[in-house]
């Protein structure tokens, strides 16, 4: 049976728009509500309990708006809360982020993989389990993207300051010969141009999981018989806990390309 209710996509701020873009591309008939918290961003250095509480509030908000499925398009919130969210909102399917450590470890030739993520994600069980499972005989070098989220939130992803922050975070992994660098935070793909510039001269592939997440959303729509009807004309809404100018920024950034 068709279901034209929207899919909710949530992040601490602008970052989840990198996932929103892929979901929209892969599933053009689905209506989407994007919730970018904005008021409490960044999440990366908050305590696990605090992030879990914020994520619960956000998912509750999307459920109250009638979403049929929610994508937690935030690695930090996924690491802190995905099990609790799934238990609380069952049977509604909830998709979380998993850093693309597996594809990077399968593809590396140098046997050195870099992972960039927020502090909170890197010290979570989810990351530790994934790294242990796929990176057993591979050198996995992690670094917190200090300042990355703030740069994206300020629209300063192409700036001298961005180059400095990215150089600092990527220095060790580049020196040690990483040939794949995992972007383990949904804000980070917005810094790709700066990352490529900093990595010039190194043979590095950047990997993120937004396309894999969009594919997973499609699988779950089929599994739960939740797809919108054929030819359905989608509606795109943007929500925030911050203010109206921030809500408009979300909308403009999403629809820009
Ligand atoms: N975009 C988020 C993530 O994927 C959260 C960034 C933050 O607010 O620190 O981790």
């Amino acid at each position: 049976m068709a279901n034209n209710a929207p899919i909710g996509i949530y992040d601490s701020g602008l970052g989840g728009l990198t996932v929103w873009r892929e979901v929209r591309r892969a599933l053009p008939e689905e209506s989407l509500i994007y919730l970018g918290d904005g008021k409490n961003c960044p999440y990366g250095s908050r305590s696990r309990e605090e992030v879990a509480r914020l994520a619960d509030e956000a998912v509750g908000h999307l459920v109250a708006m009638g979403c049929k499925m929610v994508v937690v398009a935030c690695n930090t919130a996924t690491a802190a809360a995905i099990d609790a969210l799934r238990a609380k909102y069952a049977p509604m399917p909830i998709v979380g982020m998993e850093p693309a450590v597996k594809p990077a470890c399968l593809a590396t030739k140098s046997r050195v993989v870099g992972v960039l993520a927020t502090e909170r994600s890197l010290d979570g069980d989810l990351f530790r389990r994934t790294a242990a499972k796929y990176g057993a005989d591979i050198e996995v070098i992690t670094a917190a993207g200090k300042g990355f989220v703030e740069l994206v939130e300020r629209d300063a992803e192409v700036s001298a300051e961005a180059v400095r922050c990215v150089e600092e975070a990527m220095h060790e992994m580049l020196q040690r010969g990483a040939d794949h660098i995992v972007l383990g935070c949904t804000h980070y793909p917005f810094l790709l141009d700066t990352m490529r510039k900093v990595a010039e001269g190194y043979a590095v592939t950047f990997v993120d999981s937004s396309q894999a997440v969009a594919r997973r959303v499609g699988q779950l729509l089929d599994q739960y018989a939740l797809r919108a009807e054929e030819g359905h004309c989608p509606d795109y809404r943007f929500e925030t806990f911050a203010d109206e100018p921030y809500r408009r920024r979300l909308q403009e950034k999403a629809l820009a390309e």
Side-chain angles (χ1 to χ4, degrees):
M1 223 187 43
N3 185 326
N4 291 338
I7 297 170
I9 302 181
Y10 150 68
D11 179 43
S12 62
L14 296 157
L17 291 174
T18 55
V19 175
W20 182 93
R21 273 198 310 226
E22 295 303 331
V23 173
R24 181 195 187 198
R25 195 170 295 153
L27 303 161
E29 291 170 332
E30 297 296 332
S31 290
L32 307 175
I33 301 182
Y34 184 84
L35 170 60
D37 178 334
K39 190 168 139 197
N40 304 290
C41 187
Y43 282 8
S45 45
R46 292 178 186 274
S47 73
R48 186 191 162 90
E49 292 68 31
E50 208 177 350
V51 174
R53 182 182 58 73
L54 293 168
D56 180 37
E57 200 181 312
V59 173
H61 186 72
L62 289 167
V63 170
M65 292 185 76
C67 290
K68 60 185 174 186
M69 183 191 291
V70 168
V71 182
V72 179
C74 174
N75 293 76
T76 311
T78 300
I82 197 75
D83 292 341
L85 293 171
R86 286 190 177 129
K88 179 165 174 180
Y89 297 101
M92 182 190 70
I94 301 185
V95 180
M97 301 300 299
E98 188 174 308
V101 174
K102 178 182 171 185
C105 287
L106 292 175
T108 179
K109 298 230 166 15
S110 66
R111 316 300 287 162
V112 184
V113 163
V115 180
L116 296 167
T118 67
E119 270 174 76
R120 184 61 49 246
S121 294
L122 289 173
D123 73 11
D125 285 347
L126 183 70
F127 172 71
R128 266 199 291 270
R129 277 201 308 267
T130 317
K133 194 161 157 198
Y134 302 107
D137 56 344
I138 287 163
E139 188 181 1
V140 178
I141 301 170
T142 61
K146 285 207 187 75
F148 286 19
V149 170
E150 291 85 343
L151 285 163
V152 173
E153 290 291 322
R154 277 194 278 124
D155 281 334
E157 51 259 58
V158 182
S159 61
E161 192 188 346
V163 171
R164 270 196 308 279
C165 288
V166 167
E167 266 170 0
E168 197 189 317
M170 292 200 325
H171 179 78
E172 193 193 347
M173 45 189 83
L174 290 177
Q175 293 309 311
R176 305 264 287 262
D179 62 353
H180 285 73
I181 295 182
V182 176
L183 307 185
C185 167
T186 54
H187 277 74
Y188 296 1
F190 282 122
L191 284 152
L192 259 177
D193 286 345
T194 300
M195 290 177 180
R196 290 204 177 103
K197 189 165 150 190
V198 168
E200 223 172 272
Y202 295 88
V204 176
T205 304
F206 293 95
V207 214
D208 76 76
S209 34
S210 52
Q211 288 181 7
V213 167
R215 279 196 299 276
R216 180 74 187 136
V217 172
Q219 284 165 0
L220 286 174
L221 288 176
D222 289 335
Q223 192 178 318
Y224 285 77
L226 287 175
R227 266 192 198 262
E229 64 197 340
E230 240 182 270
H232 176 245
C233 182
D235 180 40
Y236 301 127
R237 288 181 58 177
F238 297 86
E239 294 276 317
T240 183
F241 294 142
D243 53 12
E244 176 55 20
Y246 190 81
R247 198 201 65 75
R248 272 204 304 275
R249 267 185 76 206
L250 291 172
Q251 181 163 326
E252 280 157 19
K253 199 155 177 119
L255 301 172
E257 300 130 30

